[in-house]
Amino acid sequence: MPPRAQAAPSGGGRGRGHNAAQLTGLLMSCERAGNLLALVQQHGNACDHIHVSCALARLAKLPMRADTRAGVAALLRMAQQRLPQMKARELASALWAVSKLGVDDTAFVGALLVAAKSKLPCFEAQHLANTVSALANLGHEDKAFMQQLLVVAETKLSSFTPQDLANTVWALAKLRHNDAAFMQQLLVMANSKLPSFNSQDLANTVWAMATLGHKDTAFMSALLVAAKSKLPSFNSQELANTVWGGGGGTK
């Protein structure tokens, strides 16, 4: 089951100067993908890294049509050229947007991760959780990058929300990235926040633990107790995932 969607990132701050700020506003107010892509094309080199990040974030929230593919590809090429200037928030937002758009562009994603590596210490908790989830949704595996991200994430787990925690463990399971030491620290933090987990958070966590084969009897017991108290709010898929995961998954 996909994780509960995070609040959509804004894509970065405002550009410098009146014209830059005005362009940011125009991009964020577009209601059609075609209009947004035309606006980006019209302004071309005037679009800086902030504008491009905003454009991607806005595009991910709009209905897409087949005739916008060329425009999206052009926007990604523009974004790739500006990756070195992007800060942590903009990089996380761009990756989130690409995953929402379902764009299969491994070259762009790879270049983005290269740009993100040196800036990972500046990523906030939600940036980290969104990045792991985006990579899982894209099915993009980069074990070296993931290991570096988890080192940073472990230092910031206290700032993760229940949704961040559940989405992260779900994403790691989907990628089959099993880091037992990190998982143990994540579950310690999750245990302290279990009362605030909703039905999808609980179901995804149970499913992820079984998928990864991570054994923690005490935590799983607490997780299932929390799930039992919220059974009326579970949908059929959440119930199925919880029963499957609670039984240890398939051998």
Side-chain angles (χ1 to χ4, degrees):
M1 178 186 300
R4 186 160 43 110
Q6 294 274 20
S10 62
R14 296 171 65 86
R16 290 188 291 273
H18 176 72
N19 290 337
Q22 188 176 44
L23 178 54
T24 301
L26 289 171
L27 289 167
M28 297 305 291
S29 65
C30 282
E31 297 295 336
R32 294 184 179 180
N35 292 346
L36 185 148
L37 294 169
L39 188 62
V40 171
Q41 184 177 20
Q42 175 187 345
H43 287 272
N45 291 334
C47 292
D48 63 16
H49 59 289
I50 294 175
H51 296 128
V52 172
S53 179
C54 285
L56 281 170
R58 182 59 184 164
L59 189 65
K61 303 173 191 176
L62 300 175
M64 299 295 294
R65 292 174 22 176
D67 60 4
T68 60
R69 290 178 182 173
V72 172
L75 177 57
L76 289 180
R77 288 194 297 272
M78 184 181 293
Q80 188 163 343
Q81 293 170 355
R82 290 157 176 74
L83 287 174
Q85 290 77 47
M86 289 189 184
K87 296 181 180 179
R89 180 183 179 184
E90 294 144 11
L91 290 165
S93 175
L95 186 60
W96 170 87
V98 169
S99 74
K100 291 291 288 183
L101 290 167
V103 177
D104 184 15
D105 190 326
T106 55
F108 174 77
V109 174
L112 188 151
L113 297 186
V114 169
K117 278 183 180 179
S118 64
K119 299 172 184 176
L120 280 173
C122 299
F123 277 50
E124 297 176 2
Q126 187 176 348
H127 300 153
L128 294 164
N130 281 356
T131 297
V132 180
S133 293
L135 291 174
N137 285 326
L138 289 167
H140 187 96
E141 296 185 49
D142 185 327
K143 292 184 178 180
F145 176 83
M146 185 63 71
Q147 200 59 46
Q148 190 172 338
L149 182 150
L150 295 183
V151 168
V152 175
E154 187 170 344
T155 68
K156 302 186 179 185
L157 281 174
S158 61
S159 299
F160 276 52
T161 66
Q163 185 180 350
D164 293 334
L165 293 166
N167 284 2
T168 298
V169 71
W170 172 89
L172 291 175
K174 188 170 183 185
L175 289 169
R176 300 299 194 271
H177 187 96
N178 199 347
D179 183 323
F182 176 79
M183 276 289 292
Q184 194 58 45
Q185 293 302 311
L186 184 149
L187 296 183
V188 167
M189 189 56 59
N191 191 51
S192 69
K193 299 183 179 182
L194 276 180
S196 299
F197 275 46
N198 69 11
S199 60
Q200 188 172 354
D201 297 333
L202 293 164
N204 281 351
T205 303
V206 174
W207 175 86
M209 287 184 67
T211 299
L212 290 172
H214 188 87
K215 305 298 183 184
D216 187 326
T217 304
F219 177 78
M220 181 61 82
S221 295
L223 188 58
L224 294 177
V225 168
K228 185 177 180 180
S229 70
K230 297 182 180 179
L231 280 179
S233 64
F234 277 58
N235 62 33
S236 58
Q237 185 62 61
E238 291 162 357
L239 284 170
N241 284 358
T242 301
V243 170
W244 179 85
T250 56
K251 302 297 183 183

